[in-house]
Amino acid sequence: MKKTDIKLDDILSAKSEEELTKPFLGKVEKIYENSALLSIIDYDKADKTAVSDLNKKIVVNFKNLKSAPKRKIKEIQALAKSDVKIEKITKSDLNNIENPIDKNK
């Protein structure tokens, strides 16, 4: 890929010439002159230890980057969506919650 084709937060398919044995997907965090810093978001199980050692970050030369398959990007985005529900709690709600510490008194 060319530098002009890469933007921050792009999800790209990449390969490492040294650290990882299999291709992986990464999110672009920073763009340098001939390479990009990627946050590793999807990788082969065989590279689990190496990814951990790298703290899920790796610098990859532009020649080792290519567009990720749209199907794979959609899979990752679906997994990233959270089912967390946030509700506002009133003071009366807090008063109705039992405090296990108070029971010991």
Side-chain angles (χ1 to χ4, degrees), residues 71-84:
R71 169 188 52 79
K72 193 67 176 172
I73 292 172
K74 286 183 181 180
E75 281 178 27
I76 290 170
Q77 288 172 337
L79 289 172
K81 288 186 180 176
S82 175
D83 290 335
V84 174

Side-chain angles (χ1 to χ4, degrees), residues 8-9 21-23 25-26 35 42 47 49 52 56 60 69-70 79-80 88-89 92 95-97 104:
L8 290 178
D9 295 328
T21 60
K22 305 282 184 178
L25 291 182
S35 57
D42 189 44
D47 291 323
T49 302
S52 176
K56 293 191 172 191
V60 180
K70 290 185 183 197
L79 289 172
K88 187 173 182 179
I89 298 176
S92 62
N95 291 334
N96 293 331
I97 297 174
N104 294 332

